[in-house]
Amino acid sequence: MEAVFKMGASRIASAVNAGELSAKEVVTAYLERIAELNGKLNAYLHVNSTGARRAASSVDDLVVRGEKLNLAGVPVAVKDVISVRGLPITCGSRVLRGYVAPYDATVVNRLKRAGAIVLGTTNTDEFAMGSSTENSAYGASRNPWAEDRVPGGSSGGSAVAVSGGMATAALGTDTGGSVRLPACFTGLFGLKPSYGALSRYGLVSYANSLEQVGVFARSVDDLALVYSAMLGADPKDGTTTNFSWSIRDALSRGVEGLRLGVVVEMSGEGIHEAVSSALSTTCKELERNGVSVGEASIKHMGYSLEAYYLIAMSEASSNLARFDGVRYGEHPAFEGDWNEEYSRVRSLFGLEVKRRIILGAFALSAGYQEMYYGRASRFRTLLIHEFREAFKQFDVLIAPTSPTPPFRFGEKTQDPLTMYLSDVDTVPVNLAGLPALNVPVGTFTTDGTTLPLGVQLIAPYGRDDLLFTVASQLERSGLSSARVVEPWGRIV
Ligand code: GLN
């Protein structure tokens, strides 16, 4: 039998359902693998050894009783901003050290009900603010492809867990690219669903109007399996909604006759040539399969980064006000002056988080609100409109996920603006609430180091199914594939 850590989700689930493999065996194999690799890669912040073993035996019991579970025994990792009952949730921050999630997020609850096993919680930039995991209070995660390269962020821990074979699939969150970017940097499929497709109940908010829970996987099938287990409106999150498509149909549909638009504003200047060539190879492959390819223009896209950071920081400054040391996390006996105590707790935030709280509070302050937040919001409406127009001509859009391959540790930490620029291609999608998917497309070698490349597919609002149709064609034709990678760069 194939090594358990290389198996896909559907393979594990069918073996467990058939009684050929027990969920306990799966969990044991994964815990060993985590023990072997996590010290090097820092993907997990907390490993749920006891809980995972216990959950595995209840799955095994259910199987013995004849139940069929879609995700029977499938081991998943969960980003440390999503609540898993009984596990620590720190959001990569010192502010929340010692805080234990009192309930399951809806997405986690649904995965568990389908038989999935939560192996642990994964590293993230503090409160999901960043693009490399370098803003985590618990050290950065490492990219298994190359020792000196970032895995992307903020959901870098989840990406590394899946890429390194320490989980079959993982949950991240994508507020401005935090699933697609790390998926691209570690060679995985990474989905940012339509806004409202998945419940945010139990997710610690960074910027609620922009973010969605997303999924990392090593195949389109696995992605579909995990995603569909979580879909469906949730009464606990009023922004969720139901869509009428079926992923199963989407996977079996052909791409012939689809119209693909290359977003010109995202694919010209400033794009690394390896990324450009991955983009054109992908277009050519789809053309060979009967897709027509043209140029799409989103005229004012160039203002997205500014608008995104204004909106994200404004929402963050408001959301993070609740971390005052009283309600969450460790708060040693309160003594003395309240102002001092409050400042002491708030000083536990890292530099980037403080920067965003201050800028967000400034942007929302009386007199400036209309000038900054108001304008950014109006731009957002314009952008949504421009995307809608483009989707009159095209069924799906395509663009780089990142302008460059994975960058080096420390390369962008000195100047926050250069770090923000790594999100230039991902944030427009969040502003418009659209679904998008990073597909891994080949590799590129520089100075003896091989690095993964990726491109993103973008679909109209509520048409996540189209992403699955196109991605599964790319996978079938062999252009797009994701493999387990061990440090540093050993493809297994
Ligand atoms: N890098 C972006 C930011 O720092 C996106 C983060 C995210 O998607 N959570 O805001």
Side-chain angles (χ1 to χ4, degrees), residues 64 230 260 385 402 438 443:
V64 168
M230 298 186 292
L260 182 73
H385 177 75
S402 156
N438 177 73
T443 57

Side-chain angles (χ1 to χ4, degrees), residues 161-243:
V162 177
S163 168
M166 291 186 281
T168 308
L171 300 187
T173 56
D174 193 312
T175 310
S178 282
V179 169
R180 285 163 289 153
L181 190 71
C184 177
F185 282 8
T186 58
L188 297 173
F189 293 93
L191 173 72
K192 184 264 168 204
S194 286
Y195 188 80
L198 295 182
S199 169
R200 283 176 297 110
Y201 177 74
L203 156 69
V204 179
S205 291
Y206 153 24
N208 346 22
S209 79
L210 297 159
E211 63 210 1
Q212 273 294 286
V213 170
V215 187
F216 295 94
R218 293 193 302 267
S219 73
V220 181
D221 258 358
D222 283 8
L223 197 69
L225 201 62
V226 173
Y227 183 42
S228 41
M230 298 186 292
L231 274 169
D234 174 16
K236 292 182 178 131
D237 175 357
T239 62
T240 53
T241 181
N242 289 313
F243 296 114

